[in-house]
Amino acid sequence: MKITALIVATWIALPYAAGADILITRDGQRIGTDGAWKDRGRRIVYTAKGALSSICTDEIDLEMSREATDEAIRPKPKPAWATLSPRGWRRAARRWER
């Protein structure tokens, strides 16, 4: 049962993890895309909310967009409590009860 729930949760979350690309305009607005955006010369082509869209390259800060996309994709470090063993959890619980 637990494995089935894990598989379903992964299947649901996979499209959201893959579509983490972000475009940032010159005025600072952030545009989340459903997939990767493509530089087509004078236009940036992307899909947002299921619709194919494009915007002029002059309106997009490409360097900031690449940095924001890399930051969104980069895995987050685990918090310290997530790495505790069962023994560590018991010790922490005893200290907290005091």
Side-chain angles (χ1 to χ4, degrees):
M1 184 67 175
K2 290 180 183 179
I3 293 174
T4 305
L6 180 64
I7 291 171
V8 170
T10 304
W11 180 71
I12 290 171
L14 190 59
Y16 298 105
D21 285 8
I22 299 168
L23 288 170
I24 299 180
T25 62
R26 299 238 182 242
D27 62 356
Q29 181 183 3
R30 296 171 68 94
I31 303 170
T33 65
D34 293 341
W37 49 268
K38 296 168 186 68
D39 188 355
R40 302 277 188 208
R42 302 275 306 148
R43 308 290 296 167
I44 300 290
V45 180
Y46 62 96
T47 305
K49 299 180 183 173
L52 185 64
S53 303
S54 68
I55 191 167
C56 185
T57 306
D58 297 336
E59 297 180 31
I60 298 292
D61 188 344
L62 292 175
E63 184 177 328
M64 290 294 292
S65 296
R66 287 186 182 105
E67 288 176 13
T69 297
D70 290 343
E71 184 178 317
I73 293 172
R74 189 177 309 128
K76 309 287 187 268
K78 288 185 178 180
W81 59 266
T83 60
L84 286 178
S85 65
R87 176 180 279 172
W89 277 105
R90 285 192 292 269
R91 287 180 187 162
R94 282 189 211 121
R95 277 188 241 142
W96 185 70
E97 288 175 353
R98 293 181 194 172

